[in-house]
Amino acid sequence: MNLLIMGAPGAGKGTMSNLILENYDVVHISTGDMLRQSIAEGHELGLKAKEYMEQGKLVPDSLIHDMIVERFSRPDMENGFLFDGYPRTLAQAIDLDEILKSLGMKLDGVINLEIEDEVLVKRITGRRSCSNCGAIYNIYSMPPKVEGVCDECGCELTVRKDDNAESLKIRLEEYHKNAQPILEHYSNAGIVHGVEASDKSIDEVFAAVKTVLEGLK
């Protein structure tokens, strides 16, 4: 299966991606991970990307294109893939279509995690993490036994700098602006599968995702 997972910040893409990888024989493709790995390994494309990043510039689509083409040349792609965090714009989606077409491939399905912005605000602004062991809490849905203290190791819980309402509003506006045309593009191809994630447990959301994926086999 060749898949793409979409969802706003805090919708649970990372959690669902991990569960998909545990249960299905597909390769996870994150352009962020690709960039970091390519830079760490000193590859030519990674070093080019590093130049842009060090100047505070976005890595151009043409360079991302080349990295994706290179990734598809590896043998582990035979059983399918899961794109996570890419494409981020309609132009990238169209480019990905062309890459896949040139390889005789196509996307089989787009999993769209649907969640209301109000729910995301509580998820993100209520998130707390342990500065020592990394345990994650939420003051609204999964609070620690003692406020501000990790249940696991007793260390202080912290808030990420961008886990605030102001930053989240900007991130959500940016996501919706870019995601809507991408979803329309793939909806026109008949491959978008919405999965309700607002008031569901992780198990319930993944059960819905599995139903979609079993139908794609």
Side-chain angles (χ1 to χ4, degrees):
M1 289 183 292
N2 300 328
L3 308 167
L4 163 63
I5 189 166
M6 295 185 64
K13 290 193 303 297
T15 299
M16 288 302 116
S17 293
N18 288 335
L19 288 169
I20 291 171
L21 296 176
E22 289 174 10
N23 289 270
Y24 296 89
D25 188 16
V26 294
V27 174
H28 184 238
I29 302 179
S30 159
T31 50
D33 290 344
M34 285 170 55
L35 282 168
R36 285 185 286 272
Q37 182 178 355
S38 187
I39 291 170
E41 295 176 354
H43 293 166
E44 181 181 356
L45 293 175
L47 295 178
K48 287 182 179 178
K50 186 179 180 182
E51 291 178 8
Y52 286 96
M53 295 164 71
E54 287 179 341
Q55 296 173 44
K57 298 179 181 178
L58 291 175
V59 177
D61 283 355
S62 59
L63 192 49
I64 298 294
H65 168 96
D66 291 343
M67 296 185 77
I68 290 173
V69 169
E70 189 280 328
R71 186 66 183 86
F72 274 106
S73 70
R74 302 183 194 178
D76 62 350
M77 301 291 289
E78 293 178 357
N79 293 323
F81 57 79
L82 172 66
F83 267 102
D84 174 12
Y86 180 91
R88 293 183 181 273
T89 64
L90 178 58
Q92 290 180 344
I94 293 171
D95 185 55
L96 178 59
D97 288 348
E98 292 300 315
I99 293 173
L100 294 173
K101 184 178 179 180
S102 71
L103 296 171
M105 304 169 70
K106 63 181 179 64
L107 273 178
D108 296 313
V110 177
I111 306 296
N112 183 41
L113 300 178
E114 300 174 343
I115 186 166
E116 297 175 2
D117 285 0
E118 292 78 10
V119 176
L120 288 172
V121 170
K122 279 195 169 184
R123 280 194 185 181
I124 298 297
T125 60
R127 187 162 56 188
R128 303 290 185 271
S129 60
C130 178
S131 55
N132 179 54
C133 71
I136 303 294
Y137 301 86
N138 189 289
I139 60 173
Y140 301 111
S141 59
M142 195 173 66
K145 295 174 182 176
V146 177
E147 184 178 350
V149 179
C150 178
D151 294 348
E152 302 297 324
C153 66
C155 288
E156 180 184 6
L157 298 181
T158 59
V159 183
R160 277 175 40 177
K161 289 183 179 179
D162 58 349
D163 280 358
N164 59 74
E166 293 76 18
S167 294
L168 180 59
K169 181 181 178 182
I170 295 171
R171 288 157 65 193
L172 286 175
E173 287 176 351
E174 185 71 12
Y175 173 78
H176 291 310
K177 180 181 73 175
N178 290 321
Q180 184 175 353
I182 296 172
L183 288 169
E184 289 177 356
H185 173 72
Y186 288 128
S187 291
N188 291 335
I191 60 172
V192 174
H193 303 272
V195 172
E196 174 58 44
S198 284
D199 56 353
K200 308 291 184 183
S201 68
I202 291 174
D203 289 343
E204 289 173 324
V205 175
F206 186 59
V209 169
K210 280 188 73 173
T211 298
V212 171
L213 298 186
E214 291 301 316
L216 295 176
K217 280 186 172 181

